[in-house]
Structures are given as C-alpha cells and as structure tokens.
Amino acid sequence: MAINWFRQILFFFVLVMLQVWIFNRIYILGVATPLFYIYFILKLPVNLNRNLTLILSFLMGFFIDMFDYTLGFHMLACSVAGFIRYSIFRLFLPKEMIEFNIPSIRDFGIGLFFKYVISIVLIHHAVFFVVESLSLFDHLRLLYSILGSSVVTLVLIFAAEGLTLSKSRK
Amino acid sequence: MRNLINLIVKNIHWLLFILLLFVSGYLIISNNNFQRSKYLTVEQELVGSVYSVSNRITSYVGLKSANDQLIRRLAELEVRNEYLENYIKDLSDPSEFSSIQEDFDTLSPRLVYARVINNSISGSENLITLNKGSNDGIEPDMGVFSPEGVVGIIMSASPHFSVVVPILNSKSNLSCKVRRSNYPGSLKWDGEDSQYAYLEELPRHVIYALGDTIVTSGFSSVFPEGIRVGTVVDSKKQRDDNYVSLKLKLFTNFSALSDVLVVKKTLQEEREGLEDEARDRILKGERYDGN
C-alpha cells in the first residue's frame, strides 16, 4: 500500500497546530509540558525509507521550533527520535512484522506498541530537556521535566490511539 | 572504489543523521537573542500572524479578568487624580503646577497600547509576542509594562509584531531600586518560579524591610523612573558577603498577561543611546579607516 501523502501532510500540520496552539501552553505543576507532536514520527510507516524518516522528523522539529522561538532544540530531539526509530523496530519487532504499514495498537498488540512508544518518547524527551536545560542547570528539575512530560505525552498518545481503535472497530 | 561507494550509499542515513545533528547543534549554539532579532523578522511576521489567529479566539476567555483588572486600575487612577487635583488647588505656587503638568503631558503621548498574542513562562528563555510593531513606532530596547508592573524590554520589531524579552528570561537584566532608600541593583530571574525574581548586587549596608516596594531606577532610558516591579519577601547574602540579594514577589502576573504599554523613546534619549553605542564600539576597538 502506498503512503497516502495528502493525509500525512494534513496530519503533520494538524499536529503542529495542536502543539503550538494547545500543548505548548500546558504547563502542569511547573514541570510537565506534553510534546504530543512526536505522534507524527511514531505513526510514520514502518517500512518507510530511513533517510525520508529522518528528514520528515527533522522538518517536524523545525516547524515546532519556529513557533516556539527555540531554534534547534526540537530539531535535535526529533532527528534523534527519527534516527533511533529503526533500531527500536529491529530490537522489538519480529522480522515478519516489518511489512506492517503504520504502527498501531491493532497491528502491534498493546505490549509491543507500548514498548515502542515509551522508548521513543523517553529518548526524545530526554534529549529535548537535557539540551534545553543546558543554560540553567538543575538535575532534579530536569528529571521531573523529563518524566512528567513523558507521562503526559504517553497518556495523550494512548488516548489518540484508543480513539482511532474504537473508530475502526465500528 | 565501487565497494567504497556502495559502503557510503548503504550508510548514507548515518551521514544524514550527523549532518542534521550538526545543523541543529549549530542553530542552538549560535542562537543568541541578537542574531535572531537580526535575521528572523520575516519568520516573525509569519509566526505572529498564526498566533494572532489563535489569540482572536483565546482573548475572549481572558476578557473577564482583564476587565476586572482595568476597573481596579481605573478606580486607582480616579483616586489618584482626585488627590492630585486637590494638591494642585492647594498649591499657590504656579511653577509647581507647571512641573506636574509637564510630566503628565510628556509621558502619555509616548505610550503605545499593545496586546500580548503569545507568551511563555515555562522555559528559561521566555519570550512574549505583541500585536504592534514598527508601524506603530515600536523599536528594539523600548520598555514594556502592564497596569500591574514591569514586563520587559523589546528585543525586535517587524512591521506588525514585536518580541519582548520579559524579566522572566535568564538573559534579562534590568536596573531597579528600593523605592524607600533609592539604592540601585540589577533584577535577575533564576528560571524557577514565574512569580519571583531577585534584585542582586545591592551593597550590604542598603536599608530595606520586607514588604518594601521595588521600582525601576530610570538610570537607562528604557524605563522612566518609578514603575513598580515587586515587593521584597526575602533576602540573603551573596557569596562574598559584601552584597545582598533580595527575593521579590513580582507585581506582574505573567501567566495571565494580556494588555501592555510600550514606552517610546524621546528624541533626546534616542540621541544619547546612539552616542553611547558609538562610544562602546570605539572602546571595543572597532576601526573605521575606510578599508
């Protein structure tokens, strides 16, 4: 099945706008900000060319950076996430599953999908908050930010995933 | 040779990854406020227009509290007005009268009213976007304050938008003083709580008490003297014991900022600023020998 480019582009910009207009303004307990846009990188087709995955991830980071006035931070985190994705597939995914098109709970099963999502989200958030906090360093706060934001992002991703799951069952 | 090319083609994603890391790393490192303001005014126009769409929707939500604030401020000003009018009536000396009149007349046409369309308080490098820009006479290095207190300094301005470095930014540095004793210090933020900032580099013998009001010093031409900043809630000695630092509770509520005023510069101040800058550059050793 070829990738539906129009849908992907629409998905991309919807996520950028959601992040810019809603999620960037959420700031729970002074530490946790969800970085929900990573959902785009998670939902890229499994067998998509590695270079293309990298460039799309980088572009996502670029757009978020542009609106956040944080030139470079999201780009760096996204490039790492886009690069690491393939290794995560190799690590968790059985060989015969590589042909699955778009990662989802339905195709992967909840355990596998959870492992996949949590590892990418944790790596992405860790890179982002470590780089961001370089100018004002405080270990404990950094740890809270990474864990808190990861939890919020995970909850949002599984909520979105659950939504599509219940829709496709009907 | 063919093997080498094959190897490179096979591992091209590594090269791409490293390239992308370099690009973003370079952007992060070279990304100081100065360069951004210089090159990204085009981007700022685009980003600003996207934010103003969302602001058109969200500004309704904050309307009620903004209204309350305005009413409170109006009441405050009415009281003050009455006091001043009585004061003027009491004064028999006509020269005193004219000096008050002059102060009011010179300040009020220098104020530009603007609305906050994007505001962050979460990072250490917070910035605020306003819906007015150079078309309304806003230029870099102008002071910004809200009805509650000081907000920050304009970093850059495009025709319709401008970006403010608020005092909640680790790079911000503002000269303030204790209103009661007139001792100056510099206002810094530690990146933690958006309600508190620190007044640093005060000499040890400075006279203050908890609850004292801190105001802008007026030493630079950015802010007029006496705009409210915050109240003292705590103090501690700085490392070498010769200085104290005061913890302030800021008057401005940055998490619900919506309307601000920008202070335009007078021609006199503009000239002085230009002269200072030129002097600095000469002192730094820049040469102008025509080559």
Side-chain angles (χ1 to χ4, degrees), chain B residues 173-191:
Chain B
N173 187 358
L174 190 69
S175 168
C176 296
K177 66 181 185 184
V178 184
R179 180 149 74 182
R180 204 156 57 131
S181 54
N182 275 345
Y183 276 107
S186 66
L187 188 74
K188 296 249 169 70
W189 186 56
D190 64 347

mmCIF file of all heavy atoms in Angstrom, chain B residues 173-191:
data_model
loop_
_atom_site.group_PDB
_atom_site.id
_atom_site.type_symbol
_atom_site.label_atom_id
_atom_site.label_comp_id
_atom_site.label_asym_id
_atom_site.label_seq_id
_atom_site.Cartn_x
_atom_site.Cartn_y
_atom_site.Cartn_z
ATOM 1 N N ASN B 173 18.147 41.628 32.239
ATOM 2 C CA ASN B 173 18.897 42.297 33.292
ATOM 3 C C ASN B 173 18.409 43.735 33.335
ATOM 4 O O ASN B 173 18.561 44.471 32.382
ATOM 5 C CB ASN B 173 20.380 42.233 32.929
ATOM 6 C CG ASN B 173 21.236 42.760 34.044
ATOM 7 O OD1 ASN B 173 20.733 43.216 35.076
ATOM 8 N ND2 ASN B 173 22.532 42.708 33.850
ATOM 9 N N LEU B 174 17.778 44.125 34.436
ATOM 10 C CA LEU B 174 17.110 45.419 34.479
ATOM 11 C C LEU B 174 17.560 46.156 35.728
ATOM 12 O O LEU B 174 17.656 45.572 36.796
ATOM 13 C CB LEU B 174 15.598 45.180 34.513
ATOM 14 C CG LEU B 174 14.706 46.371 34.321
ATOM 15 C CD1 LEU B 174 14.811 46.870 32.899
ATOM 16 C CD2 LEU B 174 13.272 45.981 34.626
ATOM 17 N N SER B 175 17.850 47.428 35.582
ATOM 18 C CA SER B 175 18.294 48.214 36.723
ATOM 19 C C SER B 175 17.084 48.695 37.529
ATOM 20 O O SER B 175 16.211 49.366 36.998
ATOM 21 C CB SER B 175 19.111 49.390 36.216
ATOM 22 O OG SER B 175 19.328 50.302 37.249
ATOM 23 N N CYS B 176 17.021 48.315 38.815
ATOM 24 C CA CYS B 176 15.895 48.687 39.677
ATOM 25 C C CYS B 176 16.436 49.228 40.985
ATOM 26 O O CYS B 176 17.617 49.129 41.268
ATOM 27 C CB CYS B 176 15.037 47.470 39.984
ATOM 28 S SG CYS B 176 14.281 46.787 38.545
ATOM 29 N N LYS B 177 15.527 49.813 41.793
ATOM 30 C CA LYS B 177 15.999 50.316 43.082
ATOM 31 C C LYS B 177 14.937 50.123 44.149
ATOM 32 O O LYS B 177 13.763 49.919 43.839
ATOM 33 C CB LYS B 177 16.375 51.784 42.947
ATOM 34 C CG LYS B 177 15.186 52.654 42.656
ATOM 35 C CD LYS B 177 15.587 54.084 42.508
ATOM 36 C CE LYS B 177 14.338 54.951 42.328
ATOM 37 N NZ LYS B 177 14.654 56.340 42.078
ATOM 38 N N VAL B 178 15.391 50.193 45.396
ATOM 39 C CA VAL B 178 14.461 50.140 46.519
ATOM 40 C C VAL B 178 13.833 51.527 46.622
ATOM 41 O O VAL B 178 14.543 52.520 46.714
ATOM 42 C CB VAL B 178 15.213 49.804 47.822
ATOM 43 C CG1 VAL B 178 14.233 49.647 48.966
ATOM 44 C CG2 VAL B 178 16.042 48.560 47.654
ATOM 45 N N ARG B 179 12.494 51.592 46.566
ATOM 46 C CA ARG B 179 11.866 52.902 46.468
ATOM 47 C C ARG B 179 12.195 53.780 47.678
ATOM 48 O O ARG B 179 12.425 54.964 47.557
ATOM 49 C CB ARG B 179 10.353 52.758 46.326
ATOM 50 C CG ARG B 179 9.662 54.115 46.217
ATOM 51 C CD ARG B 179 8.428 54.079 45.392
ATOM 52 N NE ARG B 179 7.352 53.417 46.115
ATOM 53 C CZ ARG B 179 6.159 53.205 45.612
ATOM 54 N NH1 ARG B 179 5.886 53.582 44.379
ATOM 55 N NH2 ARG B 179 5.237 52.607 46.311
ATOM 56 N N ARG B 180 12.244 53.137 48.870
ATOM 57 C CA ARG B 180 12.425 53.915 50.078
ATOM 58 C C ARG B 180 13.812 54.542 50.164
ATOM 59 O O ARG B 180 13.982 55.681 50.541
ATOM 60 C CB ARG B 180 12.209 53.005 51.279
ATOM 61 C CG ARG B 180 11.805 53.747 52.507
ATOM 62 C CD ARG B 180 11.070 52.819 53.413
ATOM 63 N NE ARG B 180 11.896 51.665 53.732
ATOM 64 C CZ ARG B 180 12.075 51.233 54.976
ATOM 65 N NH1 ARG B 180 11.520 51.859 55.977
ATOM 66 N NH2 ARG B 180 12.794 50.162 55.198
ATOM 67 N N SER B 181 14.847 53.763 49.790
ATOM 68 C CA SER B 181 16.195 54.262 50.028
ATOM 69 C C SER B 181 16.969 54.588 48.757
ATOM 70 O O SER B 181 18.103 55.038 48.821
ATOM 71 C CB SER B 181 16.984 53.240 50.836
ATOM 72 O OG SER B 181 16.939 52.000 50.176
ATOM 73 N N ASN B 182 16.356 54.326 47.579
ATOM 74 C CA ASN B 182 16.987 54.690 46.307
ATOM 75 C C ASN B 182 18.257 53.922 45.967
ATOM 76 O O ASN B 182 19.027 54.350 45.122
ATOM 77 C CB ASN B 182 17.310 56.182 46.253
ATOM 78 C CG ASN B 182 16.102 56.961 45.790
ATOM 79 O OD1 ASN B 182 15.165 56.367 45.262
ATOM 80 N ND2 ASN B 182 16.112 58.261 45.988
ATOM 81 N N TYR B 183 18.531 52.785 46.639
ATOM 82 C CA TYR B 183 19.733 52.022 46.286
ATOM 83 C C TYR B 183 19.471 51.204 45.030
ATOM 84 O O TYR B 183 18.478 50.489 44.959
ATOM 85 C CB TYR B 183 20.123 51.074 47.422
ATOM 86 C CG TYR B 183 20.935 51.763 48.472
ATOM 87 C CD1 TYR B 183 20.378 52.074 49.701
ATOM 88 C CD2 TYR B 183 22.260 52.094 48.222
ATOM 89 C CE1 TYR B 183 21.119 52.711 50.673
ATOM 90 C CE2 TYR B 183 22.998 52.742 49.189
ATOM 91 C CZ TYR B 183 22.439 53.039 50.409
ATOM 92 O OH TYR B 183 23.173 53.678 51.350
ATOM 93 N N PRO B 184 20.355 51.277 44.034
ATOM 94 C CA PRO B 184 20.118 50.523 42.805
ATOM 95 C C PRO B 184 20.709 49.107 42.856
ATOM 96 O O PRO B 184 21.697 48.861 43.534
ATOM 97 C CB PRO B 184 20.866 51.342 41.753
ATOM 98 C CG PRO B 184 21.989 51.948 42.513
ATOM 99 C CD PRO B 184 21.546 52.118 43.939
ATOM 100 N N GLY B 185 20.060 48.188 42.122
ATOM 101 C CA GLY B 185 20.575 46.831 41.972
ATOM 102 C C GLY B 185 20.100 46.316 40.632
ATOM 103 O O GLY B 185 19.367 47.000 39.922
ATOM 104 N N SER B 186 20.526 45.088 40.269
ATOM 105 C CA SER B 186 20.031 44.611 38.981
ATOM 106 C C SER B 186 19.094 43.437 39.170
ATOM 107 O O SER B 186 19.323 42.562 40.004
ATOM 108 C CB SER B 186 21.178 44.263 38.041
ATOM 109 O OG SER B 186 21.875 43.179 38.548
ATOM 110 N N LEU B 187 18.030 43.443 38.384
ATOM 111 C CA LEU B 187 16.966 42.449 38.538
ATOM 112 C C LEU B 187 17.279 41.241 37.664
ATOM 113 O O LEU B 187 17.491 41.365 36.466
ATOM 114 C CB LEU B 187 15.643 43.071 38.104
ATOM 115 C CG LEU B 187 14.401 42.223 38.375
ATOM 116 C CD1 LEU B 187 14.073 42.228 39.842
ATOM 117 C CD2 LEU B 187 13.222 42.745 37.581
ATOM 118 N N LYS B 188 17.304 40.048 38.300
ATOM 119 C CA LYS B 188 17.591 38.817 37.559
ATOM 120 C C LYS B 188 16.531 37.782 37.878
ATOM 121 O O LYS B 188 15.860 37.871 38.895
ATOM 122 C CB LYS B 188 18.953 38.257 37.999
ATOM 123 C CG LYS B 188 20.123 39.150 37.668
ATOM 124 C CD LYS B 188 20.966 38.509 36.594
ATOM 125 C CE LYS B 188 21.983 39.478 36.042
ATOM 126 N NZ LYS B 188 23.039 39.776 37.005
ATOM 127 N N TRP B 189 16.433 36.776 37.013
ATOM 128 C CA TRP B 189 15.477 35.704 37.266
ATOM 129 C C TRP B 189 16.226 34.394 37.286
ATOM 130 O O TRP B 189 17.159 34.198 36.499
ATOM 131 C CB TRP B 189 14.416 35.700 36.165
ATOM 132 C CG TRP B 189 13.312 34.724 36.401
ATOM 133 C CD1 TRP B 189 12.501 34.650 37.493
ATOM 134 C CD2 TRP B 189 12.889 33.685 35.531
ATOM 135 N NE1 TRP B 189 11.601 33.637 37.345
ATOM 136 C CE2 TRP B 189 11.815 33.029 36.158
ATOM 137 C CE3 TRP B 189 13.314 33.237 34.271
ATOM 138 C CZ2 TRP B 189 11.158 31.955 35.573
ATOM 139 C CZ3 TRP B 189 12.657 32.176 33.688
ATOM 140 C CH2 TRP B 189 11.597 31.548 34.334
ATOM 141 N N ASP B 190 15.831 33.452 38.162
ATOM 142 C CA ASP B 190 16.581 32.208 38.297
ATOM 143 C C ASP B 190 15.973 31.056 37.501
ATOM 144 O O ASP B 190 16.457 29.932 37.557
ATOM 145 C CB ASP B 190 16.694 31.803 39.766
ATOM 146 C CG ASP B 190 15.343 31.499 40.378
ATOM 147 O OD1 ASP B 190 14.329 31.835 39.742
ATOM 148 O OD2 ASP B 190 15.290 30.928 41.466
ATOM 149 N N GLY B 191 14.909 31.308 36.770
ATOM 150 C CA GLY B 191 14.363 30.256 35.911
ATOM 151 C C GLY B 191 13.394 29.331 36.592
ATOM 152 O O GLY B 191 12.960 28.346 36.008
#
